[in-house]
């Protein structure tokens, strides 16, 4: 599956045995991409001389927030002052502003659970080949969330 916004891929998932797991995997990338625009992330007080890629990595680590003690010590050394934690509540509130994201799949969505999860990420458009015996439930889920869905009729996933 792939998530896109304004012509840019913002989350890609592959190689999972479960379609919803694939959506969740790619969805974590979407959330991280969107949260990089959070005001607290944009305002991180980096020390002079911190390289561009180190700043990118530090922003992602700040969003993820799952440091070991050693990682946190090294991460904090990149700043002029230790940043305040970006809380889960702040992340959730900011993610509610995400809209206009497209979700596409190389194979059908077998259940509505993928759509349910995608709704948390600002998905407005879904493209998938269709062909599941559950297509009606998946369509109903898209309708419930106000997502436009197109059946492409082209399955790109083969065993």
């Amino acid at each position: 599956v792939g998530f896109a916004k304004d012509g840019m891929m913002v989350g890609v998932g592959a190689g999972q045995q479960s379609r919803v797991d694939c959506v969740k995997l790619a969805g974590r990338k979407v959330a991280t991409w969107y949260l990089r625009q959070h005001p607290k992330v944009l305002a991180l007080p980096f020390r002079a001389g911190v390289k561009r890629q180190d700043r990118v990595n530090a922003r992602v680590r700040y969003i993820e927030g799952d440091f070991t003690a050693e990682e946190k010590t090294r991460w904090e050394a990149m700043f002029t002052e230790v940043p305040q934690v970006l809380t889960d509540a702040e992340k959730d509130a900011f993610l509610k502003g995400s809209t206009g994201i497209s979700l596409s799949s190389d194979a059908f969505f077998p259940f509505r659970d993928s759509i349910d999860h995608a709704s948390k990420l600002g998905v407005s458009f879904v493209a998938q080949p269709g062909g599941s015996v559950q297509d009606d439930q998946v369509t109903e889920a898209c309708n419930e969330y106000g997502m436009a869905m197109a059946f492409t009729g082209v399955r790109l996933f083969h065993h």
Side-chain angles (χ1 to χ4, degrees):
V1 301
F3 290 86
K5 171 79 174 179
D6 297 330
M8 176 175 59
M9 292 302 295
V10 295
V12 177
Q16 304 304 305
Q17 293 79 21
S18 159
R19 187 70 25 180
V20 71
D21 287 343
C22 195
V23 168
K24 288 178 179 181
L25 176 69
R28 281 193 294 275
K29 292 293 191 178
V30 174
T32 299
W33 165 80
Y34 190 74
L35 287 166
R36 286 176 60 185
Q37 303 165 65
H38 190 285
K40 284 177 79 170
V41 175
L42 296 174
L44 286 171
F46 287 100
R47 292 187 181 279
V50 176
K51 295 179 180 178
R52 182 177 184 270
Q53 190 58 50
D54 291 333
R55 289 174 187 245
V56 169
N57 293 342
R59 288 181 184 110
V60 170
R61 298 298 293 133
Y62 177 63
I63 291 164
E64 292 172 345
D66 58 347
F67 301 102
T68 65
E70 180 60 29
E71 287 175 314
K72 189 163 187 175
T73 299
R74 292 177 184 275
W75 180 81
E76 289 175 348
M78 290 192 252
F79 304 100
T80 56
E81 61 186 68
V82 176
Q84 293 180 347
V85 171
L86 181 60
T87 67
D88 288 341
E90 289 171 315
K91 293 176 196 178
D92 291 343
F94 192 75
L95 282 170
K96 287 181 180 169
S98 175
T99 62
I101 294 178
S102 300
L103 169 62
S104 63
S105 179
D106 59 347
F108 59 73
F109 289 111
F111 306 103
R112 67 170 288 146
D113 54 0
S114 293
I115 304 304
D116 292 328
H117 188 75
S119 74
K120 302 172 190 176
L121 301 166
V123 169
S124 301
F125 313 100
V126 177
Q128 60 136 330
S132 168
V133 297
Q134 303 289 339
D135 278 348
D136 289 345
Q137 291 180 13
V138 173
T139 300
E140 182 179 324
C142 286
N143 291 338
E144 288 173 15
Y145 293 114
M147 297 175 188
M149 183 174 65
F151 288 113
T152 64
V154 178
R155 187 169 186 208
L156 302 170
F157 178 81
H158 300 282
H159 289 280

